[in-house]
């Protein structure tokens, strides 16, 4: 960040944090309770910007926080927070903290049981649909080197997700470790898999980002920006495959292609609403307010006032996020490009599995390029169908749609069953197992990962205390002017 967001701090004394004891050191144990309240310096929008580029980002200044001073009367300005001044585990009162109550715990256990039951059903289907002997023949004919390639593919997918997050993070809060971002990414994948509509991933990512030292005022906008870019890129990707392959599959699979259209329509409407919010905020707010009031009058919503308040907060945050990205086109293009490659890697896993069976596309009358794009399109259509199924990991819908589309590609029930099992293992069950293990290790203060995290907290505290170079030069010049001419 540049000094565009450096503003004078409110000089009134800040209230003391409400803690039961001294503030925890930068390298203290993450996640300790209770959470103290942290005073945050005021960050008014600057009235004048240093240049045109700075003025362009002025409306997003409330996303960029600076802490004061080194105690000698000279205020050091930076868009990065001094972690030595605050408790790394502290969060704001409105932070997203996961509910640790019985209902939440029971719901998570139920989802894990449901995932385990789905695994058993899928494993049973592998031998029932493949008629046992044929499945064994398919297993023996499979080139297991391609399993390693599929593993590499899913790891690259996670790393590209982390890279997307890190690009946004570096723009909002420099000094946060890429390794920490990767850990949070895998934990987020785990909670995405075990919660309906992937609803648990972002709240848990916000929680762990905060625990790892990223202030919540940066974590929440970062996750929101990532969500917007991902949805925008997926919509563009879906448009491409629909234009090139919708009619091709519509001839033989008309009913399931209607489901694909529904999944695409949901994502498209969401992006259209975000863009409308960016350029016609007041109109969108009026429409949403009218809709909520109408639902309240006809009795569908029991507490319309509460819903209005929540909707207003979400709309404001979404407006800030989309405007922030639109005013930083280079960041938007970079993250979108990484996301496009990430989706291609993810959808290519099915091609890797196809190649593992030693098959080619000559039987379908296609050259290798056409065959590859056909597999990519099938996988993208499966993703669109699964996106609106309100079950953890879209259990049932993912497997059924995958089998339907890839029956067209393979034409052999035993190979389809085995490919479904392999694909689901890498994209669903492996993230659950790895994410669960990683979550347990992070929450075990004696594990190697927890010890490394504490060391990185200390490193980050020193990195983030360094003032931005332009800000430092500006402060030194101001100090010379204040002293007057030399004696």
């Amino acid at each position: 960040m540049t000094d565009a967001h450096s503003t004078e701090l409110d000089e009134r004394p800040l209230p003391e944090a409400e803690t039961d004891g001294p503030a925890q050191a930068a390298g203290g144990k993450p996640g300790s309770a209770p959470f103290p309240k942290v005073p945050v310096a005021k960050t008014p929008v600057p009235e004048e910007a240093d240049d045109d580029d700075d003025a362009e980002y002025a409306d997003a200044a409330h996303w960029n926080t600076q802490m004061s001073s080194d105690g000698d009367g000279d205020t050091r300005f930076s868009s990065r927070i001094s972690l030595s001044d605050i408790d790394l585990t502290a969060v704001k009162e409105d932070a997203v903290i996961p509910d640790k109550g019985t209902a939440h715990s029971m719901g998570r256990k139920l989802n894990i049981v449901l995932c385990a039951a789905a695994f058993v059903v899928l494993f049973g289907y592998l031998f029932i649909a493949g008629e046992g002997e044929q499945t064994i023949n398919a297993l023996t004919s499979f080139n297991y080197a391609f399993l390693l390639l599929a593993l590499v593919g899913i790891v690259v997918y996670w790393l590209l997700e982390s890279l997307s997050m890190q690009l946004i993070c570096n723009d909002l809060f420099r000094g946060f470790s890429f390794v920490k971002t990767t850990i949070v990414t895998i934990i987020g994948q785990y909670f995405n898999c075990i919660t309906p509509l992937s609803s648990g991933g972002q709240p848990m990512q916000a929680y762990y980002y905060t625990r790892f030292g990223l202030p919540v005022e940066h974590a929440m906008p970062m996750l929101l920006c990532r969500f917007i870019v991902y949805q925008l890129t997926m919509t563009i990707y879906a448009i491409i495959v629909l234009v090139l392959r919708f009619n091709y599959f519509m001839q033989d699979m008309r009913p399931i292609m209607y489901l694909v259209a529904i999944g695409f329509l949901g994502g498209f409407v969401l992006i259209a609403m975000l863009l409308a919010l960016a350029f016609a905020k007041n109109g969108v707010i009026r429409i949403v307010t009218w809709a909520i009031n109408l639902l309240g009058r006809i009795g569908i919503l029991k507490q319309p006032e509460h819903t209005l308040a929540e909707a207003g907060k979400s709309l404001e945050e979404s407006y800030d996020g989309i405007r922030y990205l639109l005013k930083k086109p280079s960041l938007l293009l970079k993250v979108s490009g990484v996301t496009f490659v990430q989706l291609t890697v993810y959808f290519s896993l099915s091609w890797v599995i196809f190649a593992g069976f030693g098959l080619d596309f000559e039987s379908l009358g296609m050259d290798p390029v056409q065959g590859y794009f056909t597999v990519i399109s099938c996988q993208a259509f499966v993703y669109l169908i699964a996106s609106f199924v309100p079950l953890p990991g879209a259990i049932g819908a993912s497997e059924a749609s995958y089998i339907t589309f890839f029956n067209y590609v393979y034409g052999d029930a035993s190979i389809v069953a085995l490919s479904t099992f392999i694909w689901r293992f890498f994209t669903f069950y492996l993230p659950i197992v790895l994410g669960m293990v990683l979550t347990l290790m992070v929450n075990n203060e004696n594990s190697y990962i927890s010890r490394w995290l504490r060391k990185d907290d200390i490193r980050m505290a020193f990195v983030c205390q360094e003032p931005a170079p332009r800000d430092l030069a500006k402060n030194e010049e101001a100090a010379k002017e204040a002293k007057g001419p030399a004696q």
Side-chain angles (χ1 to χ4, degrees), residues 238-251 257 366-367 369-378 381 405 408:
I239 290 173
I240 294 173
V241 295
L242 284 170
V243 167
L244 296 178
R245 276 294 185 268
F246 186 79
N247 289 333
Y248 179 81
F249 286 103
M250 194 70 173
Q251 298 174 4
M257 290 307 293
M366 302 179 186
D367 59 44
V369 175
Q370 289 177 320
Y372 173 76
F373 192 75
T374 298
V375 171
I376 289 285
S377 301
C378 288
F381 293 154
F405 278 107
Y408 179 82

Side-chain angles (χ1 to χ4, degrees), residues 143-472:
N143 185 346
Y144 289 96
F146 284 88
L147 290 180
L148 180 60
L149 185 58
L151 178 62
V152 171
I154 198 66
V155 171
V156 170
Y157 170 79
W158 292 334
L159 291 176
L160 290 173
E161 173 68 19
S162 301
L163 177 59
S164 299
M165 295 294 298
Q166 192 70 25
L167 288 171
I168 303 172
C169 182
N170 288 344
D171 194 71
L172 290 169
F173 184 84
R174 297 173 186 173
F176 196 80
S177 167
F178 179 76
V179 176
K180 282 183 175 179
T181 299
T182 304
I183 292 172
V184 175
T185 294
I186 297 175
I187 291 175
Q189 294 289 316
Y190 160 55
F191 282 97
N192 280 336
C193 288
I194 66 170
T195 54
L197 294 173
S198 302
S199 57
Q202 280 204 338
M204 293 307 299
Q205 283 180 313
Y207 170 67
Y208 279 100
Y209 268 123
T210 304
R211 272 190 55 178
F212 294 167
L214 183 66
V216 71
E217 60 265 29
H218 294 287
M220 296 306 296
M222 181 180 68
L223 289 165
L224 177 62
C225 287
R226 174 57 186 151
F227 171 78
I228 293 170
V229 174
Y230 189 90
Q231 289 297 323
L232 177 62
T233 309
M234 185 62 221
T235 300
I236 295 172
Y237 210 110
I239 290 173
I240 294 173
V241 295
L242 284 170
V243 167
L244 296 178
R245 276 294 185 268
F246 186 79
N247 289 333
Y248 179 81
F249 286 103
M250 194 70 173
Q251 298 174 4
D252 301 320
M253 299 185 228
R254 185 177 297 269
I256 197 168
M257 290 307 293
Y258 287 136
L259 296 178
V260 172
I262 292 172
F264 166 75
L265 186 61
F268 182 80
V269 169
L270 177 60
I271 289 300
M273 289 178 62
L274 288 171
L275 292 176
L277 183 64
F279 298 104
K281 176 183 174 184
N282 292 334
V284 172
I285 290 176
R286 281 195 293 269
I287 293 172
V288 171
T289 301
W290 173 82
I292 291 175
N293 286 330
L294 176 63
L295 293 174
R297 284 196 298 269
I298 64 179
I300 295 178
L301 289 178
K302 301 300 182 184
Q303 295 179 314
E305 297 84 3
H306 176 74
T307 304
L308 272 173
E310 291 296 319
K313 181 179 178 182
S314 297
L315 288 172
E316 287 291 341
E317 291 173 348
S318 299
Y319 173 79
D320 290 339
I322 191 69
R323 293 293 297 176
Y324 188 77
L325 288 169
L326 290 175
K327 291 185 177 183
K328 296 203 169 183
S330 61
L331 176 65
L332 177 59
L333 288 174
K334 276 193 247 181
V335 180
S336 298
V338 172
T339 305
F340 195 91
V341 175
Q342 177 193 5
L343 289 170
T344 302
V345 170
Y346 182 81
F347 297 151
S348 297
L349 291 176
S350 297
W351 180 86
V352 172
I353 297 170
F354 178 89
F357 288 105
L359 302 174
D360 56 48
F361 293 98
E362 292 182 1
S363 60
L364 298 176
M366 302 179 186
D367 59 44
V369 175
Q370 289 177 320
Y372 173 76
F373 192 75
T374 298
V375 171
I376 289 285
S377 301
C378 288
Q379 188 60 76
F381 293 154
V382 171
Y383 182 91
L384 289 172
I385 292 173
S387 64
F388 65 88
V389 176
L391 288 173
I395 292 173
S398 294
E399 291 85 352
S401 55
Y402 187 96
I403 290 166
T404 302
F405 278 107
F406 283 92
N407 259 326
Y408 179 82
V409 174
Y410 289 109
D412 186 318
S414 60
I415 295 180
V416 172
L418 182 56
S419 67
T420 305
F421 183 84
I422 296 172
W423 167 73
R424 201 61 168 149
F425 172 80
F426 282 109
T427 61
F428 184 62
Y429 297 105
L430 180 62
I432 288 177
V433 173
L434 183 59
M436 184 184 299
V437 171
L438 197 56
T439 303
L440 292 173
M441 293 180 70
V442 166
N443 289 301
N444 179 4
E445 64 179 16
N446 296 318
S447 69
Y448 171 80
I449 289 180
S450 289
R451 293 198 300 270
W452 181 88
L453 288 171
R454 289 195 291 271
K455 290 180 181 178
D456 192 71
D457 286 344
I458 298 172
R459 176 204 64 80
M460 190 169 66
F462 283 103
V463 169
C464 294
Q465 287 183 78
E466 298 175 1
R470 289 176 61 188
D471 292 339
L472 183 59

Side-chain angles (χ1 to χ4, degrees), residues 42-121:
K42 291 185 177 180
T43 312
V45 177
E47 295 179 359
E48 297 182 1
D50 293 337
D51 51 47
D52 293 339
D53 182 63
D54 292 341
E56 184 179 22
Y57 305 137
D59 68 334
H62 63 288
W63 277 9
N64 301 279
T65 307
Q66 66 277 342
M67 299 295 288
S68 69
S69 72
D70 53 9
D72 57 7
D74 293 328
T75 301
R76 299 189 303 174
F77 295 92
S78 175
S79 62
R80 297 169 290 184
I81 290 179
S82 174
L83 295 184
S84 62
D85 294 338
I86 64 173
D87 180 0
L88 289 176
T89 64
V91 296
K92 284 185 173 180
E93 290 180 343
D94 60 349
V96 178
I97 300 298
D99 175 21
K100 296 185 179 179
T102 304
H104 177 79
S105 178
M106 289 297 294
R108 190 163 59 189
K109 289 177 181 177
L110 180 60
N111 288 332
I112 293 175
V113 170
L114 185 60
C115 294
F119 180 84
V120 173
V121 172

Side-chain angles (χ1 to χ4, degrees), residues 474-486:
K474 186 177 178 181
N475 293 337
E476 290 176 351
E477 184 179 342
K480 289 179 182 179
E481 293 178 358
K483 291 179 180 178

